[in-house]
């Protein structure tokens, strides 16, 4: 059985957005007991991560780390057509995930207790982001 | 055909652990001739990588690189509830893989000659890590 | 339905190579209307990325970023059997993707308008790279 779902996320600018519940809901709608859910984000300046879901300071620190590793307005970058956060957004995207595959076991995603699924918006301005969730299962 | 296997790895603390043989064994148990094996680790402070499998110095250098890129006890980090290696472990996890999908061709994983599959423990203390291997095939 | 395709790419040394068209062609050959395409590269010194496909300066900047983050000949590295770009190639590979899963929706890959799929050769010398594309669909 193959099931395809779509998800839209309106971001308020740079930061992480918990999409765990939305993905769980789509996987439940597929009625798959065993199989694989693949989450895809159709952008190159926002990405996907699996991250600790209990303490928000983890994601704040992650944001601080990314800002230091790939500084906005870095003079190394020539591509700045959309502003100082344009090229850093592409780099952050390449260093994280555009696609994540999660096994489905006994009707549930194989997420550990502390795992959450997040959309990471890398642009400073709000954006509408589109995701596809593909379930292959039985 | 969908087959789900589970794997536990008791780590002795930070470092890489070769899980290639365990994954190959589970894929063989599925009897899939063609398809896809997805390996998932249910944690956010240990991750998965595909890495050169011949010279252990590659993984020692990788560890040295990660220690320099994301230093333990970095003052940038506020999340240190579990110690100086707590937040660096989450960052290392986000920069590598929680999920890896590998095609199965003629009954074997499509691994290249020099490719090994490793669990990378990012915490300095030993941990029990749980993985799920999902095979979709025929 | 499971379909497996293979792809060879002769690189001219370090840089990004657009493989979108080749992957689209193989997915079309599978005749899958819905499902999942997984692209696998059988190497540890070349990798896969999804990147902005309109302005080549994005990929030039990405290359500059990688060269600064993981410098060739870095004295941190002990593994240099194949030259100063040997270990940096392995690190770049670990920080990007060896496997990418893309949903297939209504017969097409769920790529966004600005998304391209690239092989990133991390070695300075030309190499022959082998990829496997696995399609599971109906």
């Amino acid at each position: 059985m193959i099931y395809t779902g779509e998800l839209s996320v309106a971001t308020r600018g740079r930061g992480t957005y918990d999409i765990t519940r939305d993905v769980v809901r789509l996987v439940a709608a597929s009625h798959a007991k065993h199989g694989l859910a693949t989450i895809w984000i159709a952008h190159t300046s926002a990405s996907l991560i699996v991250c600790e879901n209990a303490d928000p300071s983890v994601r704040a620190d992650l944001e601080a780390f990314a800002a230091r590793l790939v500084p906005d307005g870095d003079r190394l970058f020539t591509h700045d057509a959309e502003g100082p956060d344009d090229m850093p957004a592409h780099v952050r995207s390449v260093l994280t995930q555009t696609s994540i595959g999660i096994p489905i076991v006994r009707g549930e995603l194989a997420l550990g207790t502390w795992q959450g699924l997040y959309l990471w918006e890398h642009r400073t301005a709000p954006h509408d982001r589109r995701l596809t969730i593909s379930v292959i299962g039985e």
Side-chain angles (χ1 to χ4, degrees), chain A:
Chain A
M1 172 268 293
I2 292 174
Y3 172 92
T4 306
E6 302 200 341
L7 196 59
S8 289
V9 179
T11 74
R12 301 174 298 279
R14 186 170 281 175
T16 50
Y17 298 82
D18 193 339
I19 58 169
T20 314
R21 194 171 302 188
D22 294 310
V23 174
V24 164
R25 182 175 46 79
L26 285 167
V27 169
S30 79
H31 299 296
K33 289 302 172 207
H34 290 273
L36 178 71
T38 301
I39 301 98
W40 174 264
I41 184 164
H43 304 276
T44 65
S45 56
S47 61
L48 303 171
I49 58 170
V50 177
C51 192
E52 204 263 25
N53 61 9
D55 183 349
S57 71
V58 171
R59 282 167 290 116
D61 284 357
L62 190 59
E63 191 65 59
F65 178 82
R68 185 176 72 184
L69 185 68
V70 198
D72 285 348
D74 194 314
R75 296 174 63 118
L76 182 72
F77 300 136
T78 65
H79 177 87
D80 58 2
E82 297 190 16
D85 61 323
D86 183 347
M87 191 59 215
H90 293 308
V91 174
R92 285 155 163 252
S93 168
V94 164
L95 292 177
T96 52
Q97 311 303 320
T98 297
S99 174
I100 296 180
I102 311 179
I104 300 167
V105 184
R106 290 179 287 278
E108 301 202 338
L109 289 171
L111 290 170
T113 310
W114 311 108
Q115 287 184 310
L117 191 55
Y118 296 88
L119 184 162
W120 196 352
E121 173 62 72
H122 300 300
R123 301 299 310 275
T124 53
H127 280 74
D128 290 320
R129 302 304 193 175
R130 292 181 306 107
L131 295 90
T132 301
I133 289 87
S134 158
V135 176
I136 301 178
E138 61 185 19

